Amino acid sequence: MLKAGIIGLPNVGKSTLFNAITKKNILAANYPFATIDPNVGVVTVPDTRLDYLSEMYLPERTIYTTYEFTDIAGLVKGASNGEGLGNKFLSHIREVDAIVEVVRCFESSDIIHVEGNVDPIRDIEIINLELIMSDLEQIQNRINKIGKKAQMTKDKNELLEINTLKKCEEALLKNVPLRRLEFSPDELFILKPFCLITLKPIIYMANVSEEDAVIGHNIYTDTVSEYALKENASLIVVCAKMESELSELSDEDKENFLHELGINNSGLDKLIFATYNLLGLKTFFTSGKDECRAWTFKDGMKAPECAGIIHSDFQKGFIKAEVMSFDDFKQYGSETKVKEAGRMRLEGKEYLMQDGDICYFRFNV
């Protein structure tokens, strides 16, 4: 399951957004540390293609792929030195696939700002610095542990480890998040066990007023957009208050409400699309009378690996994959007609799975 951690300074709208996204009424209070333990919410990923397959096959059950959000305690300046909740929240961030950083881009005399005034770049840099300090501590602990012995060694693997760690240390000391560096596959393999926070991909979520959500930007979001470009990060503009109201509506009313405002997608939908994009995630389907189901896979995976997502036996005993594209299925109107048109394919072990493939795996264990 895809996991994202939602972080931000206190009172930026983080818990309001989390509540709206997961429809859970988590304590959202107008003071720091309203969220102390990480709250976890699971949402289904909307997919109109799966809706269509379900209408055509009328299966006993339809299973959407899911996305897990962890609302991580509000962070303050000095957290890495034990301020506020200290390092407690940092361990929760290490377990996620991507970070969603909520940034306040609205003025309000009702909601106090923990730093006194609205300045999104300052807020981002406060948080990034805390994450950098946390990673730096980990890297330096490891360098000290393997010490001089590793630097004197002739062993190729030990040398690669110490050089990779030094490369990270150098960047972090200059306040550069590790996601801005380029690493070879071997270097990434060495860094994987450390679960470094600043190596994780990030999405900035600008929380704006209702008026600015309709326009799509304001002076604050423009500066965040420029900042995000440097990190190859996405920026999503949302209004937490509006998302909260939307979460109370039925799907139909929600669609009408957004349509009236001239907004195409809710903040949650935008966030899901952005995360899939950022992590290189795609979807394939299995469908039949018993079940229509969406499965998430990473771009570049071959058919046997995708079969293994369903069950390890499918990968072990993989023979062939019977594949048709969703577009063909929709164009021809049924599985039989796709076959008659010669558009159903038998693919082998080297087949690279494509987004929207509908598959039947042949295997023998």
Side-chain angles (χ1 to χ4, degrees):
M1 188 194 299
L2 176 61
K3 293 183 179 181
I6 302 182
I7 63 171
L9 289 174
N11 302 345
V12 295
K14 190 170 59 68
S15 292
T16 306
L17 265 171
F18 177 81
N19 297 350
I21 284 168
T22 58
K23 294 189 182 175
K24 280 189 175 182
N25 198 17
I26 307 298
L27 170 70
N30 185 18
Y31 58 90
F33 321 126
T35 325
I36 294 178
D37 292 307
N39 292 295
V40 176
V42 177
V43 297
T44 54
V45 175
D47 197 316
T48 52
R49 297 170 299 180
L50 186 60
D51 298 338
Y52 183 83
L53 289 173
S54 190
E55 281 168 26
M56 298 301 283
Y57 282 93
L58 301 172
E60 286 175 26
R61 57 190 177 273
T62 300
I63 302 175
Y64 293 80
T65 183
T66 52
Y67 189 144
E68 183 179 296
F69 289 97
T70 304
D71 181 21
I72 290 157
L75 177 55
V76 291
K77 193 186 282 185
S80 55
N81 298 322
E83 290 292 324
L85 293 169
N87 258 326
K88 184 171 188 274
F89 93 99
L90 294 170
S91 61
H92 302 305
I93 290 193
R94 297 197 184 282
E95 296 155 20
V96 302
D97 301 307
I99 292 171
V100 179
E101 189 169 320
V102 181
V103 189
R104 178 166 166 176
C105 291
F106 67 91
E107 298 278 0
S108 168
S109 54
D110 298 334
I111 302 170
I112 53 170
H113 190 295
V114 74
E115 287 294 320
N117 67 324
V118 177
D119 181 345
I121 302 304
R122 175 206 57 211
D123 294 357
I124 287 171
E125 289 184 339
I126 286 173
I127 286 192
N128 284 355
L129 183 61
E130 296 308 323
L131 305 185
I132 282 167
M133 297 304 286
S134 177
D135 278 356
L136 184 61
E137 188 184 352
Q138 259 204 311
I139 294 285
Q140 289 179 332
N141 285 347
R142 179 63 183 161
I143 290 173
N144 293 338
K145 194 172 179 186
I146 54 181
K148 290 206 169 76
K149 178 185 166 285
Q151 294 176 52
M152 312 283 285
T153 186
K154 297 281 188 284
D155 182 288
K156 213 166 69 177
N157 292 339
E158 286 179 357
L159 267 174
L160 182 63
E161 180 177 7
I162 193 73
N163 289 338
T164 305
L165 293 172
K166 289 277 186 192
K167 174 177 169 178
C168 293
E169 182 186 37
E170 201 178 307
L172 294 168
L173 285 169
K174 291 177 184 164
N175 291 346
V176 175
L178 298 179
R179 73 181 76 84
R180 292 193 191 178
L181 303 188
E182 291 207 359
F183 292 101
S184 70
D186 289 342
E187 288 172 326
L188 287 172
F189 183 75
I190 282 165
L191 296 175
K192 196 175 179 187
F194 295 98
C195 299
L196 296 162
I197 304 170
T198 67
L199 196 52
K200 294 181 188 295
I202 194 163
I203 292 170
Y204 292 106
M205 209 167 194
N207 185 14
V208 300
S209 67
E210 291 179 18
E211 297 79 28
D212 291 339
V214 174
I215 299 163
H217 72 103
N218 63 23
I219 52 167
Y220 298 125
T221 65
D222 292 345
T223 62
V224 178
S225 180
E226 277 174 41
Y227 190 94
L229 272 176
K230 293 184 211 160
E231 305 222 298
N232 289 329
S234 301
L235 168 70
I236 296 169
V237 176
V238 296
C239 170
K241 190 166 172 283
M242 190 193 291
E243 292 296 321
S244 192
E245 288 161 9
L246 281 171
S247 71
E248 302 300 320
L249 302 176
S250 69
D251 288 350
E252 196 182 333
D253 287 346
K254 182 170 130 181
E255 215 169 290
N256 292 338
F257 181 68
L258 288 171
H259 185 70
E260 277 170 28
L261 292 173
I263 298 173
N264 295 330
N265 293 301
S266 71
L268 171 60
D269 292 348
K270 287 182 203 165
L271 179 55
I272 289 169
F273 301 145
T275 314
Y276 266 59
N277 208 12
L278 188 68
L279 297 174
L281 299 176
K282 302 278 171 78
T283 305
F284 74 88
F285 304 99
T286 49
S287 51
K289 286 288 172 205
D290 292 342
E291 177 183 282
C292 284
R293 184 164 184 166
W295 304 86
T296 303
F297 70 99
K298 225 174 168 58
D299 198 17
M301 282 174 90
K302 292 180 179 175
E305 289 175 278
C306 288
I309 293 170
I310 299 174
H311 198 290
S312 55
D313 284 353
F314 284 25
Q315 185 166 359
K316 272 185 221 152
F318 181 88
I319 301 169
K320 292 275 182 197
E322 228 175 277
V323 183
M324 60 179 162
S325 76
F326 174 79
D327 290 343
D328 281 346
F329 180 79
K330 194 168 180 182
Q331 185 185 338
Y332 293 103
S334 75
E335 209 174 294
T336 311
K337 285 180 179 164
V338 171
K339 282 179 182 169
E340 284 168 4
R343 301 290 294 171
M344 178 77 84
R345 315 183 305 278
L346 263 187
E347 301 288 1
K349 290 182 177 176
E350 291 306 305
Y351 176 67
L352 283 172
M353 197 68 90
Q354 301 298 309
D355 187 52
D357 278 350
I358 303 166
C359 308
Y360 302 94
F361 295 106
R362 297 182 187 176
F363 71 105
N364 182 21
V365 176

